[in-house]
Amino acid sequence: MQGRKPILSRRALAEAGIVTAAGLSAVAVAHASLLNPVLSRTPTETARLTNAVPKPVAQPAAEDVLIAFEEPVPGRAIVSPFGLRQLPWEGNGRLHEGVDISADLGVPVIAVADGVIVEAGTKGGYGRFVAIRHAERLTTYYAHLGSIDANLKPGMTVKGGDPIGRIGSTGTSTGPHLHFEIRDAQKRPLDPSMFLGKAFAEAGDLPLDKAKRYSGRVRMAYVSFIPESKRALMDAKNNPSVVVIKRTTTDAQDLAEAERNLKGAQARAAAQAPKVDGLRELSIGPDGRPRAQLAL
């Protein structure tokens, strides 16, 4: 009997362990049953929440615009506006179909908006020029350029702000400046000041009708340089006819004749002077005013 005691002790310990494990399992199940109704999450959902990576906050989308206009020569002012203008060699006013922007030779000129190059070269009074087609078939012109960017070719796409050339004085120009135009789909000139520095979201926002209008007042233009092609017109306007008179007298003869004329004028003035009672005569003093003398 003494040899069986250890066996019974080991069996008792094993049974006690089983009972303890069963009790712990029951407690765990009870605890889980209490948590599940509160969380209301499946194991898959719990895993997804635990492993999820926070998403970045979405930034608001930039406002879309149809076309935005920059200045062709940033920071430079318009010195000759859109409207009726008369140049010194012209007999009357005519429409200045763009604006003139004064700048020194070599200053960069940029595209005012996204578009496609349609012309780049030399033509008549424009001299060296570039034309760019934009949204809604608007076209911008950059004239009197000193140089055109070497990489510029018709058909190229450009972005607003891209360099296209440099300030010059080619064509019919009165000095270094940029002649800038905007024309509509029918090639009618528009007032650039209504577009530069502005952005338009839709075609209906473009001030096409208003920009075609201009004042009936003619503005006289003053220039510092007359183009070679206009100098003959300028000379003809300033001197419509020239009469040459050959002098036949000397300076002394002219002086004597002037004195005789002066004395004659004074005599005529005295004869025509009004007579006043109580006064002997009226005479004209050195200051041109009449002088009275009392009759004695």
Side-chain angles (χ1 to χ4, degrees):
M1 293 296 292
Q2 292 178 353
R4 298 181 63 180
K5 287 182 179 179
I7 295 174
L8 292 175
S9 299
R10 287 195 294 271
R11 184 178 295 175
L13 289 173
E15 290 176 353
I18 291 171
V19 172
T20 301
L24 291 173
S25 297
V27 172
V29 170
H31 183 68
S33 65
L34 291 174
L35 289 176
N36 278 337
V38 176
L39 296 176
S40 300
R41 292 175 183 150
T42 64
T44 304
E45 290 174 337
T46 303
R48 184 164 58 247
L49 288 173
T50 303
N51 300 327
V53 177
K55 294 183 179 179
V57 178
Q59 298 296 325
E63 184 179 358
D64 292 333
V65 296
L66 174 69
I67 185 170
F69 290 91
E70 301 183 39
E71 297 178 357
V73 191
R76 301 304 176 101
I78 292 174
V79 294
S80 185
F82 178 86
L84 294 177
R85 181 182 74 175
Q86 183 176 344
L87 291 167
W89 56 84
E90 295 175 335
N92 47 43
R94 62 183 178 86
L95 180 61
H96 184 217
E97 298 179 339
V99 296
D100 290 343
I101 301 172
S102 180
D104 295 332
L105 290 170
V107 170
V109 177
I110 64 173
V112 298
D114 300 351
V116 177
I117 304 295
V118 291
E119 292 183 84
T122 303
K123 180 168 66 177
Y126 278 179
R128 292 192 187 94
F129 82 107
V130 172
I132 304 176
R133 182 71 46 78
H134 307 279
E136 297 301 310
R137 297 178 62 194
L138 294 176
T139 306
T140 53
Y141 293 81
Y142 312 74
H144 305 320
L145 296 173
S147 64
I148 299 173
D149 191 272
N151 299 321
L152 226 58
K153 299 286 187 297
M156 275 185 57
T157 299
V158 293
K159 304 291 289 183
D162 286 350
I164 60 172
R166 293 184 178 274
I167 289 291
S169 187
T170 58
T172 307
S173 173
T174 57
H177 74 282
L178 174 71
H179 174 77
F180 175 77
E181 296 181 8
I182 300 179
R183 293 180 179 266
D184 65 10
Q186 287 75 43
K187 297 186 177 181
R188 293 172 296 194
L190 305 172
D191 185 351
S193 65
M194 295 188 181
F195 298 85
L196 297 180
K198 300 180 176 68
F200 303 92
E202 299 177 356
D205 297 332
L206 294 166
L208 301 180
D209 290 335
K210 188 176 181 181
K212 288 183 292 190
R213 304 172 189 172
Y214 52 87
S215 170
R217 182 177 64 86
V218 178
R219 185 180 57 83
M220 301 301 295
Y222 298 93
V223 301
S224 57
F225 174 77
I226 304 297
E228 186 67 33
S229 61
K230 303 299 181 182
R231 290 182 183 176
L233 293 175
M234 190 72 178
D235 291 342
K237 182 179 179 181
N238 289 343
N239 302 288
S241 60
V242 178
V243 179
V244 178
I245 300 176
K246 186 177 180 180
R247 184 176 179 182
T248 59
T249 59
T250 64
D251 290 343
Q253 291 172 327
D254 289 342
L255 180 59
E257 182 65 21
E259 289 177 347
R260 286 193 295 271
N261 291 337
L262 178 59
K263 290 178 179 178
Q266 290 175 340
R268 288 191 297 273
Q272 296 172 359
K275 302 300 180 181
V276 180
D277 293 340
L279 300 179
R280 188 172 62 188
E281 64 179 354
L282 287 174
S283 62
I284 305 300
D287 60 357
R289 296 181 179 182
R291 294 288 186 269
Q293 294 179 356
L294 290 174
L296 301 176

